Amino acid sequence: GAGVSQSPSNKVTEKGKDVELRCDPISGHTALYWYRQSLGQGLEFLIYFQGNSAPDKSGLPSDRFSAERTGGSVSTLTIQRTQQEDSAVYLCASSWSRGRSYEQYFGPGTRLTVT
Amino acid sequence: KNEVEQSPQNLTAQEGEFITINCSYSVGISALHWLQQHPGGGIVSLFMLSSGKKKHGRLIATINIQEKHSSLHITASHPRDSAVYICAVRGGSNYKLTFGKGTLLTVNP
Protein backbone atom coordinates (compact mmCIF):
# COMPACT_ATOMS: atom_id res chain seq x y z
CA GLY A 1 0.00 0.00 0.00
CA ALA A 2 0.94 3.66 -0.02
CA GLY A 3 3.50 5.00 2.39
CA VAL A 4 3.27 8.02 4.64
CA SER A 5 2.45 11.14 2.69
CA GLN A 6 2.86 14.76 3.69
CA SER A 7 1.67 18.00 2.20
CA PRO A 8 2.73 20.45 1.11
CA SER A 9 6.23 19.31 0.19
CA ASN A 10 7.48 22.88 0.39
CA LYS A 11 6.01 25.92 2.10
CA VAL A 12 7.36 29.44 2.10
CA THR A 13 5.59 31.82 4.43
CA GLU A 14 6.09 35.27 5.84
CA LYS A 15 7.01 35.76 9.45
CA GLY A 16 3.89 36.09 11.57
CA LYS A 17 1.62 34.01 9.36
CA ASP A 18 0.05 30.72 10.44
CA VAL A 19 0.81 27.47 8.60
CA GLU A 20 -0.75 24.02 8.56
CA LEU A 21 1.18 20.90 7.69
CA ARG A 22 -0.60 17.67 6.89
CA CYS A 23 0.33 14.04 7.38
CA ASP A 24 -1.45 10.99 6.01
CA PRO A 25 -0.11 7.90 7.79
CA ILE A 26 -0.04 4.37 6.48
CA SER A 27 -3.53 2.92 6.66
CA GLY A 28 -4.04 1.01 9.89
CA HIS A 29 -1.10 2.55 11.73
CA THR A 30 -2.39 3.68 15.09
CA ALA A 31 0.71 5.60 16.18
CA LEU A 32 1.78 8.83 14.52
CA TYR A 33 4.80 11.01 15.24
CA TRP A 34 5.93 14.48 14.26
CA TYR A 35 9.62 15.34 14.14
CA ARG A 36 11.55 18.42 13.09
CA GLN A 37 14.89 18.55 11.31
CA SER A 38 16.53 21.93 11.61
CA LEU A 39 19.77 22.82 9.87
CA GLY A 40 22.60 21.92 12.18
CA GLN A 41 20.24 20.58 14.85
CA GLY A 42 19.48 17.09 13.67
CA LEU A 43 16.13 15.45 14.19
CA GLU A 44 14.02 16.20 17.23
CA PHE A 45 10.78 14.74 18.49
CA LEU A 46 7.75 17.04 18.59
CA ILE A 47 4.61 15.05 19.43
CA TYR A 48 3.23 11.52 19.47
CA PHE A 49 -0.33 10.38 18.80
CA GLN A 50 -1.87 7.10 19.83
CA GLY A 51 -5.15 7.06 17.96
CA ASN A 52 -6.53 10.58 18.28
CA SER A 53 -4.90 11.22 21.65
CA ALA A 54 -1.55 12.87 22.17
CA PRO A 55 -0.05 11.36 25.33
CA ASP A 56 3.27 13.09 24.73
CA LYS A 57 3.49 16.68 23.56
CA SER A 58 6.77 17.28 25.33
CA GLY A 59 8.70 18.13 22.19
CA LEU A 60 6.53 21.01 21.02
CA PRO A 61 8.87 24.01 21.25
CA SER A 62 6.28 26.63 22.19
CA ASP A 63 2.57 27.24 22.56
CA ARG A 64 2.56 28.48 18.97
CA PHE A 65 2.76 24.83 17.94
CA SER A 66 -0.24 22.54 18.10
CA ALA A 67 -1.30 19.31 16.45
CA GLU A 68 -4.40 17.27 16.11
CA ARG A 69 -5.36 13.94 14.66
CA THR A 70 -8.82 13.01 13.53
CA GLY A 71 -10.40 9.66 12.81
CA GLY A 72 -7.23 7.94 13.92
CA SER A 73 -5.74 8.86 10.58
CA VAL A 74 -4.79 12.29 9.20
CA SER A 75 -2.84 14.65 11.41
CA THR A 76 -2.30 18.38 11.11
CA LEU A 77 0.57 20.30 12.68
CA THR A 78 -0.23 24.00 13.04
CA ILE A 79 2.31 26.70 13.68
CA GLN A 80 0.87 30.09 14.60
CA ARG A 81 2.64 33.40 14.15
CA THR A 82 5.62 31.73 12.46
CA GLN A 83 9.13 32.86 13.29
CA GLN A 84 12.31 32.46 11.28
CA GLU A 85 13.59 29.87 13.72
CA ASP A 86 10.64 27.67 12.74
CA SER A 87 12.28 27.11 9.34
CA ALA A 88 13.00 23.39 9.15
CA VAL A 89 11.90 20.15 7.57
CA TYR A 90 8.91 18.73 9.41
CA LEU A 91 8.72 14.96 9.23
CA CYS A 92 5.85 12.68 10.06
CA ALA A 93 6.13 8.97 10.78
CA SER A 94 3.65 6.25 11.61
CA SER A 95 3.81 2.77 13.06
CA TRP A 96 1.79 -0.04 14.48
CA SER A 97 1.59 0.05 18.23
CA ARG A 98 0.72 -3.54 19.00
CA GLY A 99 3.15 -6.31 19.74
CA ARG A 100 6.78 -5.54 19.07
CA SER A 101 6.43 -4.04 15.63
CA TYR A 102 7.15 -0.41 16.44
CA GLU A 103 9.15 0.28 13.30
CA GLN A 104 8.43 3.81 12.18
CA TYR A 105 7.84 4.66 8.54
CA PHE A 106 8.72 8.20 7.61
CA GLY A 107 7.05 10.54 5.19
CA PRO A 108 9.02 12.71 2.74
CA GLY A 109 8.71 15.79 4.94
CA THR A 110 7.53 19.34 4.48
CA ARG A 111 10.25 21.94 4.07
CA LEU A 112 9.09 25.13 5.78
CA THR A 113 10.86 28.39 5.08
CA VAL A 114 9.85 31.47 7.07
CA THR A 115 11.01 34.70 5.45
CA LYS B 1 26.34 15.21 26.44
CA ASN B 2 23.89 13.93 23.84
CA GLU B 3 22.05 10.76 24.66
CA VAL B 4 23.03 9.37 21.26
CA GLU B 5 26.52 9.89 19.88
CA GLN B 6 27.57 8.91 16.38
CA SER B 7 31.01 8.67 14.88
CA PRO B 8 32.43 9.71 12.61
CA GLN B 9 30.47 12.84 11.70
CA ASN B 10 31.82 12.71 8.16
CA LEU B 11 33.24 9.79 6.26
CA THR B 12 34.69 9.68 2.76
CA ALA B 13 35.47 6.35 1.15
CA GLN B 14 36.44 4.92 -2.18
CA GLU B 15 34.06 2.63 -4.00
CA GLY B 16 34.43 -0.94 -2.78
CA GLU B 17 35.66 -0.07 0.70
CA PHE B 18 34.18 -1.54 3.87
CA ILE B 19 32.41 1.14 5.90
CA THR B 20 31.69 1.23 9.62
CA ILE B 21 29.58 3.84 11.38
CA ASN B 22 29.31 3.74 15.15
CA CYS B 23 26.57 4.72 17.57
CA SER B 24 26.79 4.91 21.36
CA TYR B 25 23.94 5.73 23.66
CA SER B 26 23.66 6.48 27.34
CA VAL B 27 20.10 5.49 28.19
CA GLY B 28 18.24 2.22 28.48
CA ILE B 29 16.54 1.38 25.24
CA SER B 30 13.98 -1.01 23.86
CA ALA B 31 15.24 -0.78 20.29
CA LEU B 32 17.72 1.00 18.06
CA HIS B 33 17.06 2.19 14.54
CA TRP B 34 19.41 2.94 11.68
CA LEU B 35 17.97 5.39 9.18
CA GLN B 36 19.22 6.62 5.80
CA GLN B 37 18.63 10.05 4.32
CA HIS B 38 19.78 10.95 0.82
CA PRO B 39 20.44 14.62 0.07
CA GLY B 40 17.11 16.35 -0.41
CA GLY B 41 15.38 13.05 0.12
CA GLY B 42 13.19 11.48 2.71
CA ILE B 43 14.19 9.17 5.52
CA VAL B 44 14.21 5.43 5.05
CA SER B 45 14.40 2.99 7.91
CA LEU B 46 17.22 0.49 7.32
CA PHE B 47 17.13 -1.56 10.47
CA MET B 48 15.38 -1.83 13.78
CA LEU B 49 17.15 -4.07 16.27
CA SER B 50 17.14 -4.80 19.96
CA SER B 51 19.82 -7.49 20.10
CA GLY B 52 22.39 -9.28 18.00
CA LYS B 53 22.83 -8.66 14.34
CA LYS B 54 20.75 -8.06 11.22
CA LYS B 55 21.79 -8.20 7.57
CA HIS B 56 20.11 -6.81 4.50
CA GLY B 57 22.04 -7.03 1.27
CA ARG B 58 25.34 -5.24 1.74
CA LEU B 59 24.24 -3.66 5.02
CA ILE B 60 24.87 -5.21 8.42
CA ALA B 61 23.80 -3.78 11.77
CA THR B 62 24.96 -5.03 15.14
CA ILE B 63 24.10 -4.04 18.66
CA ASN B 64 25.71 -4.75 22.04
CA ILE B 65 23.16 -3.94 24.72
CA GLN B 66 25.63 -4.30 27.60
CA GLU B 67 28.07 -1.87 26.02
CA LYS B 68 25.28 0.43 24.74
CA HIS B 69 26.83 0.43 21.30
CA SER B 70 25.73 -0.31 17.76
CA SER B 71 27.53 -0.39 14.44
CA LEU B 72 26.33 -0.12 10.87
CA HIS B 73 28.56 -1.76 8.29
CA ILE B 74 28.42 -1.40 4.52
CA THR B 75 30.33 -3.96 2.51
CA ALA B 76 31.57 -3.22 -1.02
CA SER B 77 30.46 0.42 -0.77
CA HIS B 78 29.06 2.15 -3.85
CA PRO B 79 28.54 5.82 -4.71
CA ARG B 80 24.78 5.31 -4.36
CA ASP B 81 25.40 4.57 -0.66
CA SER B 82 26.33 8.25 -0.25
CA ALA B 83 23.83 9.62 2.27
CA VAL B 84 23.42 10.65 5.89
CA TYR B 85 23.09 7.68 8.22
CA ILE B 86 21.24 8.36 11.43
CA CYS B 87 21.14 6.28 14.58
CA ALA B 88 18.02 6.60 16.74
CA VAL B 89 17.08 4.91 19.98
CA ARG B 90 13.68 4.12 21.39
CA GLY B 91 13.39 4.18 25.14
CA GLY B 92 11.38 1.99 27.42
CA SER B 93 8.29 4.03 26.63
CA ASN B 94 8.29 2.29 23.28
CA TYR B 95 7.49 5.17 21.03
CA LYS B 96 9.72 8.22 21.22
CA LEU B 97 12.90 8.23 19.13
CA THR B 98 16.01 10.12 20.18
CA PHE B 99 18.36 10.75 17.29
CA GLY B 100 22.07 11.03 16.78
CA LYS B 101 23.31 13.91 14.67
CA GLY B 102 24.03 11.66 11.72
CA THR B 103 27.07 10.56 9.74
CA LEU B 104 27.54 12.01 6.28
CA LEU B 105 28.96 9.27 4.06
CA THR B 106 30.44 10.08 0.67
CA VAL B 107 31.55 7.21 -1.51
CA ASN B 108 33.68 8.27 -4.45
CA PRO B 109 33.86 6.23 -7.66
Side-chain angles (χ1 to χ4, degrees), chain B residues 25-75:
Chain B
Y25 52 92
S26 57
V27 296
I29 68 169
S30 56
L32 182 144
H33 299 248
W34 281 103
L35 310 170
Q36 180 192 57
Q37 186 174 33
H38 282 101
I43 290 178
V44 174
S45 178
L46 299 175
F47 295 103
M48 181 181 70
L49 64 165
S50 54
S51 65
K53 175 180 174 178
K54 286 190 175 180
K55 184 176 189 293
H56 184 244
R58 294 180 295 105
L59 301 178
I60 303 166
T62 63
I63 188 168
N64 185 317
I65 296 294
Q66 287 73 32
E67 295 185 3
K68 292 187 166 62
H69 181 269
S70 175
S71 293
L72 176 68
H73 305 286
I74 305 175
T75 62

Side-chain angles (χ1 to χ4, degrees), chain A residues 49-88:
Chain A
F49 285 93
Q50 177 56 44
N52 293 334
S53 300
D56 190 345
K57 305 178 184 179
S58 62
L60 294 178
S62 77
D63 59 8
R64 296 185 295 104
F65 287 71
S66 63
E68 65 174 12
R69 189 178 184 196
T70 56
S73 180
V74 172
S75 177
T76 303
L77 177 69
T78 301
I79 309 173
Q80 295 178 307
R81 305 181 303 282
T82 52
Q83 303 294 312
Q84 287 186 330
E85 62 262 27
D86 299 335
S87 296

Side-chain angles (χ1 to χ4, degrees), chain B residues 11-34:
Chain B
L11 180 57
T12 300
Q14 288 300 121
E15 184 172 356
E17 286 185 1
F18 181 82
I19 304 292
T20 296
I21 299 171
N22 295 299
C23 175
S24 297
Y25 52 92
S26 57
V27 296
I29 68 169
S30 56
L32 182 144
H33 299 248
W34 281 103

